[in-house]
Amino acid sequence: MPSRFLITPPTCPRPDRRHWGLRVLSVGAALVLPGCAAFKQIGVEVVTYGEWPAQRVPGRYAFDRLPSQTTDRPEQVQLEAAAAQALERAGFVAAGSVAKADVLVQLGWGRSQVLSPFAESRSWGGRGSVGIGVGIGMRRGGFGIGGTWGEPQTYDRQQARMLFIDRASRDKLVEIQVQHEARYSSADYLPLLFDAGLSGFPDLKAGTRHVTVQLP
C-alpha cells in the first residue's frame, strides 16, 4: 500500500502585489497559521482485494468480532458506529444478530506515527529546525530577509479495514483497506474513511484508488 497521502490544501487569498513589504508579512502570517483556513477535504488511498459479487444486493449485515474485540471497549463501539454509518449509506441494513445476517463484517483499525518524508528539512540559517519564522529588517543598500522553516518530524497514519464474509458459506467476499496519512489524523475521520472505502459500491474492483472525501 502506498505510504503517503496528499491533503488538498486550501486556496489562500493572495495579497496585493504592489505592496511588497505587506506581501512578505502576509506570507509569514499565513505560514504561522494552520494553512490560513480549515481544510475542506482529505485524500485517502483505498486498496480493494477481491470484488463484490455481481448481482448481489447489500442485504442484512452484522459485525463479526474477533476474540480481541469481544469487550465493549469505547474504541470498538466508535469503530462499529463509524462503519455502520457507511454501510447503511451503501444500502446495507443492520440484522440485529449474526443469525439473521446475510453478510458478516469484520473491522480493523490502527493508528501510528511515521517519519515525515520531509524530516530532513531545509532552512534559512539553520538545518532541521521545527517551526516557521519570517523577519524583515533594513540594512544599508536594501532590505534583509531571514527566517527558518521546517516540517514536523512525524506524521499520523490511520488505517481502517473491512472484510465482508458470506454468513452461510463463510466465503470471504471482498476486503477493503483504507489509509490516511497527514500531519494530523483523528479517529473522528473514521466515518469518512469507511465512506471512501465503500465509494462506488457495489462496483468494487480489485486494486488501488485515490479517493477525495469532503469534510463535514
Side-chain angles (χ1 to χ4, degrees), residues 37-202:
F39 289 158
K40 298 301 183 183
Q41 58 189 17
I42 61 173
V44 301
E45 291 292 331
V46 178
V47 182
T48 304
Y49 298 94
E51 296 183 2
W52 183 259
Q55 309 302 321
R56 178 164 183 157
V57 298
R60 296 166 297 181
Y61 78 92
F63 292 118
D64 185 28
R65 287 184 172 183
L66 300 173
S68 60
Q69 300 173 326
T70 54
T71 58
D72 289 325
R73 295 179 301 173
E75 297 85 356
Q76 185 67 23
V77 172
Q78 181 181 14
L79 181 65
E80 292 181 1
Q85 295 177 42
L87 287 166
E88 290 167 17
R89 278 191 283 267
F92 290 89
V93 177
S97 69
V98 171
K100 297 178 181 179
D102 302 311
V103 63
L104 303 178
V105 183
Q106 287 186 2
L107 301 176
W109 176 77
R111 187 178 178 187
S112 60
Q113 288 192 325
V114 295
L115 183 66
S116 166
F118 306 109
E120 292 294 328
S121 61
R122 297 181 296 272
S123 64
W124 307 338
R127 178 179 175 82
S129 57
V130 179
I132 302 169
V134 176
I136 302 175
M138 288 293 297
R139 66 181 181 182
R140 183 175 298 178
F143 285 98
I145 304 174
T148 62
W149 66 272
E151 290 285 338
Q153 296 299 299
T154 58
Y155 271 35
D156 282 350
R157 173 183 290 169
Q158 187 173 189
Q159 296 172 306
R161 170 181 168 271
M162 305 180 83
L163 174 62
F164 291 84
I165 303 170
D166 181 83
R167 187 192 64 81
S169 66
R170 301 296 299 187
D171 289 339
K172 296 176 177 63
L173 303 176
V174 63
E175 179 182 356
I176 302 170
Q177 296 179 358
V178 187
Q179 179 173 290
H180 175 238
E181 186 174 301
R183 295 181 184 179
Y184 175 73
S185 184
S186 168
D188 292 337
Y189 289 174
L190 275 172
L192 303 179
L193 300 188
F194 286 128
D195 276 338
L198 290 173
S199 63
F201 183 88

